[in-house]
Amino acid sequence: MSTMNLVLHVWRQPAADKPGKFERYEVKGVSEHQSFLEMLDLLNERLVEQGIEPVAFDSDCREGICGTCGVVIDGRPHGPQRATTTCQLHMRHFKDGDELTIEPWRAKAFPVIRDLVVDRGALDRIIQSGGYISIRAGSAPEANGLPVSKECADLAMDAAACIGCGACVASCPNASAMLFTSAKIGHLNNLPQGEAEAAGRVRSMVIQMEAEGFGHCTNHLECEAACPKQISTDFIAQMNRQLFGSMLGAKKAVTARNTGSK
Ligand code: SF4
Ligand code: FES
């Protein structure tokens, strides 16, 4: 088993209201089979042995499905491997002697809590504003009671793959959350169950996204490149079309009310 020695420049920040800076650490004997987070675990074990505060970072499933992990490695959210979360990134993609810079997601809407941990509550509030369906769930319905076309089912499943990690925001020069928001909208609005509330959903989720301080999309497409689930920016185009349609519908209704016409 080959091992490697690395030099890490890790962002250390004790609290949101305290200044942060990069600290240099040497990590020796890293196995190529370790994940990036296991390498950070190793660093932390050694820091604790030396009486130094361990580096705070987020993780949960460590299987690429929960969206909890995520750090910027050498300027790239989730690191150099395409379609891979930080927890699924393995050290075999690095080499002995590498010098790596590790930072938290950088965005105004994601304040740093500590070291590499940021507050992604803004994404939760976008979902709370419309990422649900208001129907009585009851018991499991008859599977064929509501036909869903293959095309719609595939689109909804592609959008539902979003794990809410926030790498799209961290990669965007505008810190835009449009890929995330459009995936959450696309997941529901492409299904018949989500159709009744589709117009209101797109309006309120986009309004919440703007209220949280995320920037606008100017087609850099960095989000799509950084996304570990390869969510397509086609969902942003779909969201924009639905938003335009919904605003047009609302305008027509107001005009009809004002003129007394039907
Ligand atoms: S769209 Fe991709 S990068 Fe953005 S939150 Fe979802 S999974 Fe993460
Ligand atoms: S820890 Fe769950 S996706 Fe990485």
Side-chain angles (χ1 to χ4, degrees):
M1 184 173 75
S2 64
T3 61
M4 60 190 95
N5 300 330
L6 302 171
V7 174
L8 306 181
H9 299 274
V10 184
W11 184 257
R12 303 298 317 253
Q13 186 171 343
D17 57 350
K18 297 274 186 329
K21 65 175 173 24
F22 285 102
E23 290 286 353
R24 183 183 185 280
Y25 301 112
E26 288 181 19
V27 194
K28 296 205 163 85
V30 176
S31 158
E32 61 176 358
H33 301 303
Q34 284 181 316
S35 72
F36 200 85
L37 297 187
E38 285 167 343
M39 184 277 292
L40 289 180
D41 289 338
L42 184 67
L43 165 70
N44 278 344
E45 278 169 26
R46 302 211 175 134
L47 291 180
V48 170
E49 279 164 16
Q50 294 167 51
I52 301 171
E53 192 67 33
V55 176
F57 63 89
D58 261 332
S59 78
D60 191 359
C61 73
R62 297 202 176 196
E63 292 180 349
I65 52 174
C66 75
T68 307
C69 68
V71 293
V72 177
I73 304 162
D74 280 349
R76 299 174 75 171
H78 287 306
Q81 213 42 30
R82 227 177 154 81
T84 307
T85 54
T86 308
C87 61
Q88 288 288 290
L89 176 66
H90 281 82
M91 296 313 295
R92 57 180 162 271
H93 299 297
F94 300 90
K95 56 182 194 317
D96 186 40
D98 270 356
E99 202 156 335
L100 306 175
T101 304
I102 307 172
E103 299 170 74
W105 285 174
R106 301 274 188 204
K108 195 173 116 201
F110 288 165
V112 172
I113 295 173
R114 187 182 180 91
D115 298 335
L116 305 175
V117 179
V118 299
D119 180 355
R120 284 172 286 183
L123 299 186
D124 296 333
R125 290 188 289 275
I126 293 173
I127 294 182
Q128 282 162 8
S129 71
Y132 51 81
I133 290 174
S134 311
I135 53 165
R136 284 179 190 276
S139 58
E142 189 344 86
N144 297 316
L146 186 58
V148 181
S149 72
K150 170 90 170 73
E151 193 194 351
C152 291
D154 285 350
L155 262 179
M157 279 302 286
D158 287 351
C162 167
I163 54 174
C165 62
C168 46
V169 176
S171 65
C172 176
N174 307 329
S176 167
M178 285 182 105
L179 192 64
F180 164 82
T181 308
S182 68
K184 296 303 171 196
I185 291 171
H187 161 203
L188 297 174
N189 282 12
N190 282 302
L191 289 172
Q193 292 92 334
E195 218 174 290
E197 296 168 303
R201 174 177 302 114
V202 73
R203 275 201 307 272
S204 56
M205 289 179 76
V206 168
I207 289 168
Q208 187 64 38
M209 177 185 78
E210 290 183 350
E212 294 291 348
F214 292 108
H216 283 274
C217 173
T218 48
N219 296 321
H220 286 267
L221 304 187
E222 295 290 341
C223 54
E224 195 178 270
C227 175
K229 298 299 162 186
Q230 300 193 287
I231 304 289
S232 165
T233 45
D234 288 353
F235 285 109
I236 297 181
Q238 187 184 57
M239 177 179 77
N240 285 339
R241 280 196 302 276
Q242 289 178 353
L243 182 66
F244 183 70
S246 144
M247 296 307 285
L248 212 60
K251 192 175 168 204
K252 273 188 191 154
V254 171
T255 310
R257 201 172 53 234
N258 290 343
T259 57
S261 62
K262 299 224 175 192

